[in-house]
Amino acid sequence: MKKRNLYCLCAAFLVGLSACESQEPEMTLNVDLASHEADVPSSMYGIFFEEINHAGDGGLYGEMLMNRSFEERVLPEGYTVENGELVPPQVINHMVGKPTVGRFKWGTDPYPGWELVQKDAAGATAALVTEQPNFKTAPTSMKVEVAKLGEGVSLVNKGYWGIALQKDASYKLRMFVRNTKSNGELKVRLLGKDDRELGQASFTLTPGTWQEYKATIEASDTTSVGRLSIDLPAEDTYYFDYVSLFPEDTYKGRENGMRKDVAQMLEGLRPAFIRWPGGCIVEGITLVNRVEWKKTLGDPAARSGQYDTWGYRNTYGFGYKEFLDFCEDIGAKGMYVCNVGIACQARTGEACSDKEAEAYLEDALDAIEYAIGDTDTEWGAVRAKEGHPAPYPLAYVEIGNENSGPVYDRRFNMFYDAIKAKYPQLTLISNHGIGGIGEARKTDMVDPHWYVEPEYFFKNANIFDNHERGKYTVYVGEYACNQGVGGGNMLAALSEAAFITGMERNSDLVTMASYAPLLENRNDRGWPTNLIWMSNNQVVGRSSYYVQKLFVENKPTYNLKVEGTVEPEALEPFIDYEGYVGMGTWSTQTQFRNLKVTDAAGKILAADMKDDSQWEVKHGTWKQENGVYTQTSGENRTALLWKSGKVNKGSVIEFEVNKLSGNEGFLFYFGLQDLSLRRGYMLNVGGWNNSCSVIETVHDNNSSTLSEKVTDKLDENNWHKVRIVITENGADYYMDGKQVLTHQNEPLKRKFYIAGYDENAGEVIMKVVNASDNPCLTQINLAGGEVEKNGRVITLSAASKLEENSFEEPFKITPEETTYNKFSTSFKYEFKPNSVTVLRMKKK
């Protein structure tokens, strides 16, 4: 009986195998091994660092104490605080000729990271002061007056959401103290859970002037909820400045160095370059709070720091020198991003005069001189004095960050000419995208950015295929799928992988790329989706991190020609449900009236624009008068949603709009699945500084381009009639009776591929993305050469597109490598669902 069952099982298996082998492939890939397409440069994959999400302070940078210099609550010059929010001074937005109003994150804690702990019968006060500063460049100190010692008074630092200590590890303490009379013993303790002491150091105080105290403390146990307690010895007045704690074991053993586990995570990406310091922090909300590299040099205790555009103070601990040192330590080239005298155009858009911009140019030239100038130059001598006479590996300078328009183009020409004349070996990068360089005369590279939903990357993996060559190369400096994917998931990673295949295939044009943002402290997510997550004792790479690693570790020397045939996939319906509609603006003041919707059967539903109860304000300042709704704020992505009106395919939306003032045109939402901006569509008219119009998808109060952009603008003080027609698979937009834009969905793309040859390994490398929920049987034919039958397969896959790594399961989605012994000039391979797969075949 048992023998018969075994026979039946074997027979069933053979039948199943036969059926699999006879199955028709869904995809056929023909690879020409004798071809030599675009070379893949060594510069292809790098990393972009910005102080956002506590990426440096509380992340990569090794400092363990928050607000070590007590400068966290120092306002940028000219700023004020109202209702717990930071308000910048009113400056002219150079794009619109008048101020742009905005408020930014601040908080109410008077000295973040610190608390004054008083035990029974104690009486003490704490305050931030600038009297008799220890460092004029960082003048704030903490004054603690102990009137009554009682059972004890301590100044306690909670670290960055707790201090993580490792048993038997050593930590380096440095601090400055000034007290008036006591020469008692000051005790500094490392505390764990329930305030259990895990290590201590004691100092005999010398009253009078500022004194520096240093110690190395060994932890007796491991904790992630540690604190540092400074126990005061007597009734006295104490001043504290720069209380710092570093792990002794930093990355590469650097003083003022990087947190080892985070740095090693970045090392795993083998970055060809590092971009620093950002990002929007290069520009600042206004020019006064931009990053100033010269202030990041020297003793960390004397560095002023600066309020960071992303809502907390940048200590400047991970400064210009630390960045350049880190480039050397990790084996990367450096990219410095300079300011051209323009503040963030998405915030205030302040711009200095062209004459004042000369000082910004000199500052950029000084930064370059510090990095690579001879030691007999002013700033090269400073570098040598700081212990590094040899030049640093600075190779790239990006001129500005996400700037645009005539003022930027004029500044770019000014900076490009001056820098190129003095440092012709540097690659200079402009902020222009792939749509042209405006009034700039010449650039070495352009830097387009994409933060989008998954569908955009799937649909635009071939965006570079037919782009003009010869004028400049492309650095995709910031890209990520960050809409509709929460904090990140496998779907995001798959879409990015698809887009990367297009970049690598076009590596004669796209010669550099860096995902952004790079790092996120789990306690401060200031940006929706980031590559690497950190707590104070753990580092987690998202699935997107492992996609990056796969492409870096399997980068060929050059591309091979691949011709693919893929079975057509389903055509995604545009709107297959009833969705809400609404009006909106972006940095513009606009009026709307006479909204109505006609359904596919011809039934008309007109909005009662005098009845406020029919409307729900999501963002912005809306006022209604005589049936006209006016949005008056300068906010981005305002929204007023109509509770009663819905649309489906066949619907026609009509309304009138009048732009009063502002940077752009207007927004109109449609097909919203509920009364929020969680999911739906948006017509963006006069976007990108009133230059073009586009239909976008909406995800979680963000949007990404769906249709092609068409040149379009909206003039002021003129009522226009708008018509949106929702078709079976798309939508058309009309202005004053003229069709401006049409969009039709195309069949879904979910399978992507690329092939190349690694000369060092002598291996053919194929990379295939299968972003469908089903396995993909593929016929692979190799011509122009032969391969060994034995090779390797590396697969990154997930059971569901919605899965992601986590702090609890950090390696849930990671690459798995297996041997494979069926490679030949013609073979079938079944790619897993929701996977990125690398085939490595030894060439004969």
Side-chain angles (χ1 to χ4, degrees), residues 123-125 143-149 153 177-184 205-208 232-240:
T125 58
K143 178 181 180 180
V144 179
E145 291 186 279
V146 182
K148 197 173 181 182
L149 189 62
V153 176
V177 182
R178 177 169 67 90
N179 67 303
T180 58
K181 57 184 181 182
S182 172
N183 59 358
L205 293 174
T206 302
L232 307 183
E235 293 166 358
D236 197 351
T237 300
Y238 303 85
Y239 298 84
F240 296 91

mmCIF file of all heavy atoms in Angstrom, residues 123-125 143-149 153 177-184 205-208 232-240:
data_model
loop_
_atom_site.group_PDB
_atom_site.id
_atom_site.type_symbol
_atom_site.label_atom_id
_atom_site.label_comp_id
_atom_site.label_asym_id
_atom_site.label_seq_id
_atom_site.Cartn_x
_atom_site.Cartn_y
_atom_site.Cartn_z
ATOM 1 N N GLY A 123 15.453 72.677 46.370
ATOM 2 C CA GLY A 123 14.927 73.873 45.734
ATOM 3 C C GLY A 123 15.937 74.398 44.739
ATOM 4 O O GLY A 123 17.028 74.861 45.101
ATOM 5 N N ALA A 124 15.634 74.297 43.438
ATOM 6 C CA ALA A 124 16.568 74.715 42.394
ATOM 7 C C ALA A 124 15.788 75.213 41.185
ATOM 8 O O ALA A 124 14.635 74.843 40.975
ATOM 9 C CB ALA A 124 17.483 73.559 41.999
ATOM 10 N N THR A 125 16.436 76.050 40.387
ATOM 11 C CA THR A 125 15.836 76.563 39.152
ATOM 12 C C THR A 125 16.844 76.410 38.022
ATOM 13 O O THR A 125 18.057 76.383 38.239
ATOM 14 C CB THR A 125 15.450 78.036 39.281
ATOM 15 O OG1 THR A 125 16.619 78.802 39.607
ATOM 16 C CG2 THR A 125 14.385 78.233 40.343
ATOM 17 N N LYS A 143 22.033 77.588 33.172
ATOM 18 C CA LYS A 143 22.312 78.076 34.521
ATOM 19 C C LYS A 143 21.396 77.352 35.495
ATOM 20 O O LYS A 143 20.170 77.349 35.329
ATOM 21 C CB LYS A 143 22.064 79.587 34.590
ATOM 22 C CG LYS A 143 22.268 80.207 35.961
ATOM 23 C CD LYS A 143 21.966 81.706 35.915
ATOM 24 C CE LYS A 143 22.163 82.370 37.270
ATOM 25 N NZ LYS A 143 21.865 83.826 37.215
ATOM 26 N N VAL A 144 21.998 76.720 36.495
ATOM 27 C CA VAL A 144 21.227 76.021 37.527
ATOM 28 C C VAL A 144 21.575 76.647 38.879
ATOM 29 O O VAL A 144 22.750 76.621 39.302
ATOM 30 C CB VAL A 144 21.532 74.514 37.544
ATOM 31 C CG1 VAL A 144 20.719 73.827 38.644
ATOM 32 C CG2 VAL A 144 21.224 73.883 36.193
ATOM 33 N N GLU A 145 20.587 77.201 39.518
ATOM 34 C CA GLU A 145 20.780 77.786 40.850
ATOM 35 C C GLU A 145 20.192 76.835 41.889
ATOM 36 O O GLU A 145 18.988 76.551 41.861
ATOM 37 C CB GLU A 145 20.105 79.146 40.941
ATOM 38 C CG GLU A 145 20.777 80.216 40.083
ATOM 39 C CD GLU A 145 20.164 81.583 40.312
ATOM 40 O OE1 GLU A 145 19.109 81.846 39.722
ATOM 41 O OE2 GLU A 145 20.747 82.373 41.065
ATOM 42 N N VAL A 146 21.053 76.335 42.763
ATOM 43 C CA VAL A 146 20.611 75.423 43.813
ATOM 44 C C VAL A 146 20.537 76.218 45.116
ATOM 45 O O VAL A 146 21.564 76.504 45.753
ATOM 46 C CB VAL A 146 21.570 74.227 43.958
ATOM 47 C CG1 VAL A 146 21.042 73.268 45.032
ATOM 48 C CG2 VAL A 146 21.729 73.501 42.621
ATOM 49 N N ALA A 147 19.337 76.588 45.507
ATOM 50 C CA ALA A 147 19.145 77.318 46.760
ATOM 51 C C ALA A 147 19.095 76.363 47.941
ATOM 52 O O ALA A 147 19.496 76.708 49.058
ATOM 53 C CB ALA A 147 17.864 78.147 46.689
ATOM 54 N N LYS A 148 18.613 75.152 47.661
ATOM 55 C CA LYS A 148 18.478 74.161 48.720
ATOM 56 C C LYS A 148 18.751 72.786 48.121
ATOM 57 O O LYS A 148 18.034 72.326 47.226
ATOM 58 C CB LYS A 148 17.061 74.233 49.306
ATOM 59 C CG LYS A 148 16.909 73.566 50.662
ATOM 60 C CD LYS A 148 15.516 73.850 51.216
ATOM 61 C CE LYS A 148 15.351 73.218 52.595
ATOM 62 N NZ LYS A 148 13.991 73.443 53.138
ATOM 63 N N LEU A 149 19.791 72.125 48.577
ATOM 64 C CA LEU A 149 20.182 70.846 47.986
ATOM 65 C C LEU A 149 19.228 69.723 48.358
ATOM 66 O O LEU A 149 18.943 68.837 47.528
ATOM 67 C CB LEU A 149 21.600 70.492 48.418
ATOM 68 C CG LEU A 149 22.227 69.293 47.718
ATOM 69 C CD1 LEU A 149 22.349 69.542 46.221
ATOM 70 C CD2 LEU A 149 23.606 68.983 48.309
ATOM 71 N N VAL A 153 19.905 67.342 43.714
ATOM 72 C CA VAL A 153 19.500 68.046 42.495
ATOM 73 C C VAL A 153 20.372 67.525 41.359
ATOM 74 O O VAL A 153 21.600 67.448 41.497
ATOM 75 C CB VAL A 153 19.669 69.574 42.634
ATOM 76 C CG1 VAL A 153 19.327 70.264 41.306
ATOM 77 C CG2 VAL A 153 18.804 70.113 43.761
ATOM 78 N N VAL A 177 32.045 73.336 32.688
ATOM 79 C CA VAL A 177 31.271 73.739 33.863
ATOM 80 C C VAL A 177 31.917 74.999 34.449
ATOM 81 O O VAL A 177 33.149 75.118 34.508
ATOM 82 C CB VAL A 177 31.233 72.628 34.936
ATOM 83 C CG1 VAL A 177 30.362 73.069 36.120
ATOM 84 C CG2 VAL A 177 30.714 71.319 34.348
ATOM 85 N N ARG A 178 31.066 75.895 34.885
ATOM 86 C CA ARG A 178 31.515 77.060 35.657
ATOM 87 C C ARG A 178 30.613 77.159 36.877
ATOM 88 O O ARG A 178 29.392 77.104 36.749
ATOM 89 C CB ARG A 178 31.407 78.329 34.802
ATOM 90 C CG ARG A 178 31.777 79.613 35.540
ATOM 91 C CD ARG A 178 31.910 80.782 34.561
ATOM 92 N NE ARG A 178 30.672 81.160 33.947
ATOM 93 C CZ ARG A 178 29.815 82.071 34.434
ATOM 94 N NH1 ARG A 178 30.080 82.654 35.606
ATOM 95 N NH2 ARG A 178 28.711 82.372 33.781
ATOM 96 N N ASN A 179 31.226 77.292 38.072
ATOM 97 C CA ASN A 179 30.412 77.479 39.276
ATOM 98 C C ASN A 179 31.050 78.581 40.115
ATOM 99 O O ASN A 179 32.198 78.987 39.889
ATOM 100 C CB ASN A 179 30.268 76.179 40.067
ATOM 101 C CG ASN A 179 31.567 75.700 40.663
ATOM 102 O OD1 ASN A 179 32.531 75.499 39.928
ATOM 103 N ND2 ASN A 179 31.599 75.508 41.983
ATOM 104 N N THR A 180 30.301 79.074 41.064
ATOM 105 C CA THR A 180 30.724 80.305 41.755
ATOM 106 C C THR A 180 31.550 80.062 43.008
ATOM 107 O O THR A 180 32.454 80.835 43.312
ATOM 108 C CB THR A 180 29.496 81.158 42.110
ATOM 109 O OG1 THR A 180 28.617 80.387 42.916
ATOM 110 C CG2 THR A 180 28.790 81.617 40.853
ATOM 111 N N LYS A 181 31.275 78.981 43.769
ATOM 112 C CA LYS A 181 31.966 78.865 45.054
ATOM 113 C C LYS A 181 32.366 77.452 45.456
ATOM 114 O O LYS A 181 33.383 77.252 46.133
ATOM 115 C CB LYS A 181 31.110 79.478 46.163
ATOM 116 C CG LYS A 181 29.716 78.866 46.293
ATOM 117 C CD LYS A 181 28.882 79.595 47.348
ATOM 118 C CE LYS A 181 27.508 78.971 47.490
ATOM 119 N NZ LYS A 181 26.674 79.680 48.476
ATOM 120 N N SER A 182 31.611 76.451 45.085
ATOM 121 C CA SER A 182 31.864 75.102 45.605
ATOM 122 C C SER A 182 33.049 74.437 44.901
ATOM 123 O O SER A 182 33.193 74.524 43.682
ATOM 124 C CB SER A 182 30.616 74.233 45.420
ATOM 125 O OG SER A 182 30.903 72.882 45.740
ATOM 126 N N ASN A 183 33.886 73.771 45.685
ATOM 127 C CA ASN A 183 34.922 72.910 45.098
ATOM 128 C C ASN A 183 34.624 71.443 45.429
ATOM 129 O O ASN A 183 35.522 70.625 45.600
ATOM 130 C CB ASN A 183 36.316 73.305 45.586
ATOM 131 C CG ASN A 183 36.431 73.228 47.101
ATOM 132 O OD1 ASN A 183 35.461 72.906 47.788
ATOM 133 N ND2 ASN A 183 37.620 73.518 47.624
ATOM 134 N N GLY A 184 33.336 71.167 45.498
ATOM 135 C CA GLY A 184 32.892 69.811 45.824
ATOM 136 C C GLY A 184 33.056 68.867 44.653
ATOM 137 O O GLY A 184 33.548 69.222 43.577
ATOM 138 N N LEU A 205 35.391 70.135 41.421
ATOM 139 C CA LEU A 205 35.138 71.405 40.755
ATOM 140 C C LEU A 205 36.163 72.459 41.150
ATOM 141 O O LEU A 205 36.647 72.504 42.283
ATOM 142 C CB LEU A 205 33.744 71.911 41.104
ATOM 143 C CG LEU A 205 32.575 71.081 40.566
ATOM 144 C CD1 LEU A 205 31.261 71.608 41.103
ATOM 145 C CD2 LEU A 205 32.559 71.063 39.052
ATOM 146 N N THR A 206 36.492 73.305 40.181
ATOM 147 C CA THR A 206 37.335 74.470 40.417
ATOM 148 C C THR A 206 36.489 75.708 40.157
ATOM 149 O O THR A 206 36.196 76.028 39.005
ATOM 150 C CB THR A 206 38.554 74.473 39.480
ATOM 151 O OG1 THR A 206 39.307 73.267 39.684
ATOM 152 C CG2 THR A 206 39.435 75.684 39.749
ATOM 153 N N PRO A 207 36.017 76.373 41.200
ATOM 154 C CA PRO A 207 35.102 77.500 40.999
ATOM 155 C C PRO A 207 35.794 78.687 40.324
ATOM 156 O O PRO A 207 37.016 78.838 40.383
ATOM 157 C CB PRO A 207 34.656 77.836 42.421
ATOM 158 C CG PRO A 207 35.726 77.313 43.305
ATOM 159 C CD PRO A 207 36.292 76.126 42.623
ATOM 160 N N GLY A 208 34.969 79.513 39.676
ATOM 161 C CA GLY A 208 35.465 80.728 39.041
ATOM 162 C C GLY A 208 35.202 80.736 37.559
ATOM 163 O O GLY A 208 34.098 81.074 37.129
ATOM 164 N N LEU A 232 24.592 67.472 41.307
ATOM 165 C CA LEU A 232 25.238 68.682 41.820
ATOM 166 C C LEU A 232 25.592 68.504 43.287
ATOM 167 O O LEU A 232 24.787 68.008 44.079
ATOM 168 C CB LEU A 232 24.319 69.875 41.622
ATOM 169 C CG LEU A 232 23.809 70.059 40.171
ATOM 170 C CD1 LEU A 232 22.965 71.309 40.040
ATOM 171 C CD2 LEU A 232 24.975 70.109 39.196
ATOM 172 N N PRO A 233 26.803 68.951 43.698
ATOM 173 C CA PRO A 233 27.293 68.590 45.034
ATOM 174 C C PRO A 233 26.889 69.520 46.161
ATOM 175 O O PRO A 233 26.964 69.131 47.328
ATOM 176 C CB PRO A 233 28.817 68.637 44.846
ATOM 177 C CG PRO A 233 29.031 69.665 43.788
ATOM 178 C CD PRO A 233 27.857 69.543 42.860
ATOM 179 N N ALA A 234 26.480 70.773 45.844
ATOM 180 C CA ALA A 234 26.265 71.723 46.943
ATOM 181 C C ALA A 234 25.338 72.838 46.490
ATOM 182 O O ALA A 234 24.997 72.957 45.306
ATOM 183 C CB ALA A 234 27.610 72.314 47.394
ATOM 184 N N GLU A 235 24.945 73.626 47.466
ATOM 185 C CA GLU A 235 24.135 74.809 47.154
ATOM 186 C C GLU A 235 25.056 75.851 46.528
ATOM 187 O O GLU A 235 25.980 76.360 47.166
ATOM 188 C CB GLU A 235 23.466 75.320 48.428
ATOM 189 C CG GLU A 235 22.422 74.337 48.963
ATOM 190 C CD GLU A 235 21.982 74.619 50.375
ATOM 191 O OE1 GLU A 235 22.515 75.581 50.977
ATOM 192 O OE2 GLU A 235 21.114 73.880 50.887
ATOM 193 N N ASP A 236 24.780 76.151 45.255
ATOM 194 C CA ASP A 236 25.707 76.977 44.473
ATOM 195 C C ASP A 236 24.998 77.359 43.178
ATOM 196 O O ASP A 236 23.885 76.886 42.885
ATOM 197 C CB ASP A 236 26.987 76.170 44.177
ATOM 198 C CG ASP A 236 28.159 77.030 43.741
ATOM 199 O OD1 ASP A 236 27.957 78.237 43.500
ATOM 200 O OD2 ASP A 236 29.273 76.488 43.643
ATOM 201 N N THR A 237 25.650 78.195 42.384
ATOM 202 C CA THR A 237 25.170 78.515 41.037
ATOM 203 C C THR A 237 26.120 77.865 40.037
ATOM 204 O O THR A 237 27.343 78.079 40.087
ATOM 205 C CB THR A 237 25.132 80.030 40.811
ATOM 206 O OG1 THR A 237 24.244 80.616 41.770
ATOM 207 C CG2 THR A 237 24.631 80.341 39.408
ATOM 208 N N TYR A 238 25.540 77.064 39.111
ATOM 209 C CA TYR A 238 26.318 76.291 38.153
ATOM 210 C C TYR A 238 25.924 76.700 36.733
ATOM 211 O O TYR A 238 24.773 76.993 36.441
ATOM 212 C CB TYR A 238 26.047 74.794 38.314
ATOM 213 C CG TYR A 238 26.321 74.245 39.691
ATOM 214 C CD1 TYR A 238 25.349 74.312 40.687
ATOM 215 C CD2 TYR A 238 27.540 73.660 39.998
ATOM 216 C CE1 TYR A 238 25.582 73.807 41.948
ATOM 217 C CE2 TYR A 238 27.792 73.144 41.263
ATOM 218 C CZ TYR A 238 26.807 73.217 42.243
ATOM 219 O OH TYR A 238 27.042 72.713 43.489
ATOM 220 N N TYR A 239 26.923 76.674 35.861
ATOM 221 C CA TYR A 239 26.688 76.911 34.439
ATOM 222 C C TYR A 239 27.262 75.725 33.674
ATOM 223 O O TYR A 239 28.398 75.291 33.947
ATOM 224 C CB TYR A 239 27.372 78.196 33.981
ATOM 225 C CG TYR A 239 26.866 79.441 34.658
ATOM 226 C CD1 TYR A 239 27.364 79.828 35.905
ATOM 227 C CD2 TYR A 239 25.895 80.240 34.053
ATOM 228 C CE1 TYR A 239 26.908 80.976 36.533
ATOM 229 C CE2 TYR A 239 25.435 81.402 34.685
ATOM 230 C CZ TYR A 239 25.943 81.753 35.917
ATOM 231 O OH TYR A 239 25.479 82.884 36.531
ATOM 232 N N PHE A 240 26.491 75.231 32.730
ATOM 233 C CA PHE A 240 26.925 74.081 31.936
ATOM 234 C C PHE A 240 26.912 74.438 30.457
ATOM 235 O O PHE A 240 26.006 75.114 29.972
ATOM 236 C CB PHE A 240 25.999 72.875 32.176
ATOM 237 C CG PHE A 240 26.035 72.373 33.587
ATOM 238 C CD1 PHE A 240 25.142 72.873 34.530
ATOM 239 C CD2 PHE A 240 26.957 71.421 33.978
ATOM 240 C CE1 PHE A 240 25.175 72.429 35.840
ATOM 241 C CE2 PHE A 240 26.993 70.959 35.278
ATOM 242 C CZ PHE A 240 26.096 71.462 36.222
#
